[in-house]
Amino acid sequence: MSRLFHPVFALLGIAFPRRAFALLAAVALGWAPASRGATASFVNLSEVVNPQIDATAVVNFGRILATNDVLSLTAFPFQTLNTLYYTNTISAVFLATNGSPGFQFELITNTSRFFASHIVNQGIIEGDNILLSATNLINSGSLLAGTQIQLRGNNVDLSRSVLSASGVSSSTFASSGFRSVSTNGVVTYQNPSTVADLYWGAGTGNVMTAFSGVGFPLDLFQLSATNGGFYPPNAASPPHEVQSVANGFGTLSALGSVSGTNFYAYARTNRVGTNVTVQVVLVQTNSASTNLTLDVRFASFGGANFFAGNTPVLRFGTVGTDITTGAPYTNNLYFFDYLNTRSNSVLSDNLQTSSSRPAAYEVSRSPFNDFYFSSVGSGSTSNTHVTNIVYGGPDYVLATVTNNPYAAYQLAVGSAASVPGSANYVPHLDDPTNSPGRIDISANSLDLSFARIRADGVVSLRATNLISTDRMQIEAPFIQLDVANTNTTLTLTNFAAPQLARPNGVISFYSTTWTNSFTNGGTVNYRYHVLMVDASRLTGITPVTLQEFTVRGTNVIINNDLNIGRAITISSPAVTFSASSTLNLPPFATTNLLSTNFPGVNHFTNLGIISVPYQCALGSDRATALTTFVNRGTLTANSIAIRAVDFESTGTNLTRSVLSVVNSGGGPISIIADSAKFEGGVGGGLLSAGASLLLAGNDLKIRNHRFSTAGTLVLSPTNSLTDTGASGTNRIDVALGFTLTTKPASGDLLGTTIRTSARFNLNVPHVWAGTDFGPVPAGYTNNVAVGRLLLDTSTTNSFNRLSFAGIGASNALYVDYLELSGTITNDLATHLFMDTNMVLYFANANVPVETLDGQLGGRLRWVKDYAGLNTGVDVRLADGRTVKVNVAKLNSLVLDSDADGIVNGSDLSPFDGIIINSQVTFTNVPPLTAFVTWEAAAQTLYQVEVNTNLLSAAWQFHARFTNTAATNRVITFPDVIPAGTPERYYRVLYQP
């Protein structure tokens, strides 16, 4: 950004943006237009406190403090009157202290509020609330707030800004959580942000007296057990009554218990005379969460109890890096247990919801609680080991306790506290826009290049023309975007991390107190206080959620992880999710990904990872198909329906394309396209459906892909269905059969393996539209012939069956290699059915082909003259030629291809040439006829060729002749000699 100096301010060494130059010149020279009753300008060069400002222009070079004292507390932020122009220079500060609500800069008259003309901040504005509204709003300095930052403007330039909303208010601790005790002893509280109550209980004898009244004895012998008592690592609390938010307020749930196998103990004793206080904190944490820290202190708050006791204070913390400063920061949750010192075996009321919490407990986020963990604080550490603690025994007065006060509580923190559909979800409370620590920016034209924006709650951005987000970074657990750029490509790149360092999960608490006396050698009175904490479901990572994501542009490219909370709308003709992006929809709220989420989209490209809880329907749920759909990443949903003119699911050398239904109970996958290409690349592709899998269109091409369906595979190509033939590595697994609805004009699947199976006692139908050419190689060309077909009826002794039928009066399925598995191998007729309009042809099989040929009424046929990818082998003939021969034919112990009396499997040269009898018989009775005789193999096709010159290689096809007999025999071929033929030579060939 270019900078200009005005002579007046150049003396002070201050540089201003070009857009602020006219304003500053006017202010300096007294030219700014003044509102009625207002002075021309207010310029501060020192430190002033709560100045009363009524001026057209305000320029701050020093420090302006807004403060409250006990006599002048106000709910209104610091404001000025009749101000059109605000300027806070690079070294200047606006600071709200001592509980001041903060700053509100806009044009305020005696009767109305409007946008100011210009607000320029190069320095620091700090307060609980910062509210700025201007036609032109320029910030390259720092805006630091506790509760909220709200920016409104027409042209808003936040390039290189620092915006931070900590969530901790200087005027109230409500955002950090608080606990209040009234004069009549009623205890109320408010949870910190992102904390919710799950269950609670308080009473005596581990029962809530309002419900039961009769307690459960506390067995001190059991508590002293080394496995399952109050000794780590295996520990368990006594069963105790609680109320659960899941069952509704005022409803008693089942008995609860806090237990586990990975507890660690913090123990402290305090003795005053013959009175000893024993306090033990047992904590189980999540060992897999490396970013979560735990610290325990015993703080002294005094109290009326005769025993000198302390209050356990727990700090659950995470450490991250502040993007606004580059320095480490902590995000902590604090827990206090006052049961020992105050014995509050009653419940507190939540001021926000109908839930409760034991009055003995307090939960807070206030950083002031770090005092108890500092070197000057009142928090003490353990002073004994838990193995030194004795809960009871022969020398103790009591073996059981029936009147022990107890407290029990479970909370959710972080994203676990705000999941729509969960029992503890309260919409108006869990809406992050109502939480402290929020930043809200609304503009027509918005520049966010190099901005650093950090909030403890939500960041909300709205702009009709988003100029730039170049290297912008946002750190907040919740983000809302509603932005557009209609002139150029809108690219959102790494603007937010996928997760933050925040406590997240569920924590359970149980504590109890009791007294006992040791009488051996004198009486010593003991007071016990045990707190059990199960934090095994707590982590130090909170996912970043985009509550609402609305983007508009001519071309939108997403280079970021998007965890959607409520809604996603990308309005653009072209939408691309890059390889570094993810899109995750929640299990509640926005559960489907539909064309309505992408208004006007024609070109959809996914290179990243898209996860949809339920339905993904793009192009199939509107009047017109997508122009292009390209998937080179991963798309998972409960059902998928895509309709496009051109469809591609293609991998690269480093990636694999995946379209998958997420669970076995999921729905179908439907792909309808004029041209559909499944190119798996080196990594291979996957198409996995929980129900049926439908592929329809004009042209379908499959390469290095795996199709898997728990239902039926339906293929409906009209023009072509192809793979890459010899180089094909496709695999198709179907659970409920397959169907080819129509035979395309061209194409085969000779590089594809299809496996079909039948479950217990189930008849699985198969329908195929191939043309029946008979047992000849012609059936394997442009007839949707399949490379390998695996028929599996498992080994279960049941009547499951695989059935095959045609579409019309006569159809066929040609298979290069047929494999039978399971019960079908020894009981073919029971487990395989061929309809009268269907023939299954195979070139080889994993069972003897001669025994399989002709089975099922002649509807299983061996094509011995076809040598395919899976069935062909090269054979060198006696004349030096190399031909590809059907391997089953080569190894046959029945066929004698060269009719020499030796079956192929025993013949060293099974494909010798044809031996024609030494003479050709002629008849002189017109017409002149030659009779060619040779030894012909059974069921073998021969080709007769003729030539008029033995020195010429121009042999001409003359006729075909088949020995239709089941055995070898001598056959004679009659040939009428055309008139005027000088001479004719014959040769006979056959296909080895």
Side-chain angles (χ1 to χ4, degrees):
M1 181 181 292
S2 60
R3 306 285 180 174
L4 291 178
F5 291 86
H6 187 274
V8 173
F9 297 105
L11 297 176
L12 299 173
I14 306 299
F16 295 96
R18 181 185 300 273
R19 280 167 287 180
F21 173 64
L23 161 65
L24 293 175
V27 172
L29 300 178
W31 292 340
S35 300
R36 180 178 301 177
T39 60
S41 62
F42 174 89
V43 179
N44 176 52
L45 300 174
S46 60
E47 178 174 300
V48 294
V49 179
N50 293 334
Q52 301 298 309
I53 300 175
D54 186 353
T56 302
V58 173
V59 181
N60 181 33
F61 289 94
R63 288 167 57 89
I64 296 179
L65 305 183
T67 183
N68 276 333
D69 55 44
V70 294
L71 298 178
S72 61
L73 290 177
T74 177
F76 298 101
F78 178 87
Q79 303 171 354
T80 69
L81 281 176
N82 300 310
T83 304
L84 285 169
Y85 309 103
Y86 295 87
T87 300
N88 193 44
T89 64
I90 196 168
S91 59
V93 175
F94 279 93
L95 177 63
T97 64
N98 198 30
S100 169
F103 297 96
Q104 184 170 7
F105 293 161
E106 57 186 345
L107 175 58
I108 302 174
T109 68
N110 289 328
T111 59
S112 305
R113 295 177 179 268
F114 307 94
F115 275 11
S117 176
H118 288 74
I119 296 178
V120 178
N121 176 52
Q122 295 177 308
I124 298 174
I125 301 177
E126 182 174 357
D128 188 39
N129 297 276
I130 299 175
L131 312 174
L132 309 180
S133 301
T135 302
N136 300 285
L137 199 162
I138 305 167
N139 179 71
S140 58
S142 298
L143 303 179
L144 310 176
T147 298
Q148 66 171 326
I149 296 174
Q150 186 182 92
L151 307 180
R152 298 283 186 270
N154 185 26
N155 301 305
V156 177
D157 184 350
L158 302 180
S159 56
R160 300 191 182 277
S161 285
V162 170
L163 279 66
S164 178
S166 66
V168 179
S169 170
S170 61
S171 58
T172 175
F173 290 101
S175 59
S176 300
F178 70 88
R179 175 179 179 272
S180 174
V181 182
S182 65
T183 55
N184 60 0
V186 176
V187 183
T188 56
Y189 70 98
Q190 180 175 317
N191 275 325
S193 60
T194 69
V195 171
D197 310 317
L198 296 183
Y199 72 63
W200 53 90
T204 303
N206 291 314
V207 298
M208 301 176 68
T209 49
F211 293 96
S212 302
V214 178
F216 307 128
L218 190 65
D219 189 340
L220 301 183
F221 177 78
Q222 177 63 33
L223 299 183
S224 301
T226 57
N227 186 11
F230 281 163
Y231 289 109
N234 300 335
S237 73
H240 48 272
E241 289 183 344
V242 294
Q243 291 174 270
S244 172
V245 68
N247 296 331
F249 179 73
T251 302
L252 189 66
S253 71
L255 295 178
S257 179
V258 176
S259 62
T261 60
N262 191 33
F263 280 91
Y264 185 81
Y266 301 82
R268 185 169 182 82
T269 61
N270 190 5
R271 181 163 184 161
V272 178
T274 59
N275 298 316
V276 179
T277 300
V278 177
Q279 292 181 286
V280 177
V281 178
L282 299 169
V283 185
Q284 179 174 241
T285 59
N286 183 354
S287 59
S289 182
T290 58
N291 191 44
L292 184 66
T293 62
L294 171 69
D295 204 349
V296 176
R297 291 289 190 272
F298 297 88
S300 176
F301 293 106
N305 198 292
F306 179 75
F307 292 86
N310 297 287
T311 296
V313 184
L314 281 69
R315 179 176 65 183
F316 302 94
T318 59
V319 177
T321 300
D322 190 336
I323 63 170
T324 65
T325 63
Y329 74 88
T330 58
N331 193 290
N332 298 325
L333 180 72
Y334 305 89
F335 176 83
F336 296 79
D337 179 9
Y338 301 109
L339 189 63
N340 178 59
T341 57
R342 301 180 185 177
S343 299
N344 296 108
S345 58
V346 296
L347 293 173
S348 306
D349 291 330
N350 192 324
L351 295 176
Q352 296 176 299
T353 69
S354 58
S355 58
S356 297
R357 188 173 73 197
Y361 289 168
E362 181 178 358
V363 180
S364 174
R365 281 186 178 274
S366 173
F368 295 104
N369 292 314
D370 275 333
F371 169 79
Y372 303 110
F373 299 86
S374 66
S375 59
V376 297
S378 61
S380 302
T381 58
S382 300
N383 64 1
T384 187
H385 195 275
V386 68
T387 55
N388 298 325
I389 305 298
V390 178
Y391 297 112
D395 295 323
Y396 287 80
V397 173
L398 299 177
T400 60
V401 177
T402 57
N403 61 347
N404 58 299
Y406 85 99
Y409 179 57
Q410 186 180 77
L411 63 81
V413 60
S415 61
S418 55
V419 177
S422 61
N424 56 300
Y425 179 63
V426 182
H428 73 281
L429 295 178
D430 290 328
D431 186 343
T433 59
N434 295 323
S435 300
R438 57 187 182 270
I439 296 176
D440 188 359
I441 301 169
S442 181
N444 290 330
S445 178
L446 178 62
D447 187 351
L448 291 169
S449 55
F450 297 92
R452 297 293 182 266
I453 304 174
R454 181 176 186 267
D456 192 66
V458 62
V459 171
S460 178
L461 304 177
R462 294 177 177 83
T464 55
N465 181 26
L466 183 61
I467 296 174
S468 175
T469 60
D470 182 25
R471 280 165 275 193
M472 170 191 74
Q473 290 186 25
I474 300 176
E475 183 189 280
F478 298 99
I479 300 173
Q480 295 184 166
L481 292 183
D482 185 351
V483 296
N485 187 323
T486 57
N487 298 321
T488 61
T489 297
L490 177 56
T491 303
L492 299 174
T493 301
N494 297 329
F495 63 88
Q499 56 191 22
L500 302 176
R502 303 281 196 277
N504 184 61
V506 175
I507 316 175
S508 302
F509 303 90
Y510 168 84
S511 60
T512 185
T513 64
W514 74 93
T515 59
N516 206 347
S517 297
F518 180 81
T519 58
N520 189 350
T523 300
V524 179
N525 300 313
Y526 286 89
R527 180 176 180 82
Y528 295 91
H529 175 205
V530 177
L531 168 64
M532 294 189 66
V533 182
D534 181 8
S536 59
R537 290 187 287 168
L538 183 69
T539 71
I541 297 298
T542 292
V544 173
T545 300
L546 283 94
Q547 287 292 90
E548 297 175 4
F549 186 80
T550 302
V551 177
R552 298 173 299 280
T554 56
N555 183 22
V556 174
I557 300 175
I558 306 297
N559 293 326
N560 207 94
D561 294 316
L562 307 182
N563 295 311
I564 303 300
R566 290 180 183 159
I568 175 172
T569 303
I570 301 179
S571 182
S572 173
V575 177
T576 299
F577 289 89
S578 73
S580 60
S581 70
T582 63
L583 172 61
N584 298 301
L585 299 187
F588 305 97
T590 305
T591 56
N592 300 317
L593 195 65
L594 308 173
S595 294
T596 53
N597 298 114
F598 302 96
V601 66
N602 289 316
H603 306 277
F604 187 94
T605 301
N606 174 44
L607 309 177
I609 300 174
I610 298 178
S611 178
V612 184
Y614 293 106
Q615 182 185 24
C616 176
L618 298 174
S620 62
D621 59 343
R622 66 184 198 182
T624 58
L626 299 176
T627 303
T628 61
F629 179 94
V630 177
N631 178 57
R632 296 195 181 105
T634 298
L635 170 59
T636 60
N638 203 51
S639 65
I640 299 173
I642 308 296
R643 185 166 67 103
V645 176
D646 293 306
F647 173 93
E648 291 185 23
S649 183
T650 57
T652 66
N653 289 338
L654 299 177
T655 64
R656 66 184 308 207
S657 58
V658 177
L659 291 174
S660 176
V661 168
V662 294
N663 57 63
S664 60
I669 294 179
S670 170
I671 308 297
I672 302 175
D674 287 348
S675 174
K677 181 170 62 175
F678 299 89
E679 294 269 6
V682 175
L686 175 64
L687 196 63
S688 177
S692 296
L693 176 57
L694 170 65
L695 305 179
N698 290 329
D699 299 287
L700 302 179
K701 182 179 181 181
I702 308 169
R703 176 179 177 270
N704 197 16
H705 246 74
R706 179 175 181 182
F707 294 170
S708 175
T709 171
T712 301
L713 169 67
V714 179
L715 299 172
S716 295
T718 56
N719 185 55
S720 67
L721 174 59
T722 61
D723 58 17
T724 52
S727 62
T729 56
N730 302 318
R731 172 67 182 256
I732 299 175
D733 292 278
V734 298
L736 296 177
F738 52 76
T739 296
L740 177 68
T741 61
T742 182
K743 189 189 85 64
S746 64
D748 294 295
L749 297 176
L750 292 170
T752 299
T753 297
I754 301 179
R755 177 183 178 272
T756 178
S757 59
R759 296 194 295 269
F760 185 85
N761 215 36
L762 184 67
N763 180 62
V764 177
H766 304 77
V767 180
W768 204 255
T771 301
D772 189 352
F773 290 96
V776 295
Y780 289 88
T781 302
N782 292 326
N783 198 27
V784 199
V786 175
R788 296 176 69 92
L789 177 63
L790 281 64
L791 306 180
D792 185 2
T793 54
S794 75
T795 58
T796 304
N797 185 19
S798 67
F799 296 103
N800 50 359
R801 186 173 73 168
L802 302 170
S803 299
F804 287 80
I807 290 291
S810 178
N811 293 106
L813 170 58
Y814 286 82
V815 176
D816 189 12
Y817 188 89
L818 178 65
E819 182 175 341
L820 307 181
S821 177
T823 54
I824 195 173
T825 59
N826 53 33
D827 191 357
L828 184 70
T830 299
H831 298 286
L832 182 61
F833 172 78
M834 306 298 296
D835 204 344
T836 56
N837 66 346
M838 185 66 185
V839 180
L840 176 59
Y841 294 97
F842 58 94
N844 199 0
N846 67 324
V847 297
V849 292
E850 288 92 345
T851 61
L852 198 59
D853 187 23
Q855 294 284 341
L856 303 181
R859 290 187 291 276
L860 276 180
R861 297 296 307 276
W862 176 33
V863 187
K864 64 179 183 301
D865 293 328
Y866 178 72
L869 170 66
N870 303 286
T871 58
V873 62
D874 289 334
V875 174
R876 186 176 180 84
L877 301 181
D879 60 7
R881 291 181 298 135
T882 299
V883 295
K884 189 174 288 295
V885 177
N886 185 299
V887 68
K889 182 178 181 180
L890 174 66
N891 298 321
S892 174
L893 297 178
V894 175
L895 294 180
D896 177 13
S897 294
D898 57 5
D900 62 357
I902 305 174
V903 295
N904 293 352
S906 301
D907 194 343
L908 294 178
S909 301
F911 305 111
D912 285 341
I914 305 302
I915 300 177
I916 301 175
N917 287 358
S918 58
Q919 62 181 13
V920 177
T921 303
F922 292 90
T923 175
N924 291 323
V925 179
L928 180 65
T929 303
F931 295 92
V932 183
T933 303
W934 70 91
E935 184 77 17
Q939 300 291 327
T940 301
L941 173 67
Y942 292 90
Q943 181 170 303
V944 180
E945 297 179 348
V946 297
N947 201 342
T948 57
N949 184 353
L950 283 177
L951 299 179
S952 171
W955 289 91
Q956 300 294 321
F957 169 77
H958 188 56
R960 289 188 177 92
F961 191 91
T962 302
N963 176 15
T964 58
T967 60
N968 295 354
R969 66 186 177 94
V970 176
I971 63 172
T972 299
F973 171 72
D975 182 36
V976 177
I977 306 300
T981 301
E983 57 184 358
R984 173 169 282 193
Y985 302 94
Y986 294 88
R987 74 176 183 183
V988 181
L989 307 174
Y990 71 100
Q991 175 65 40

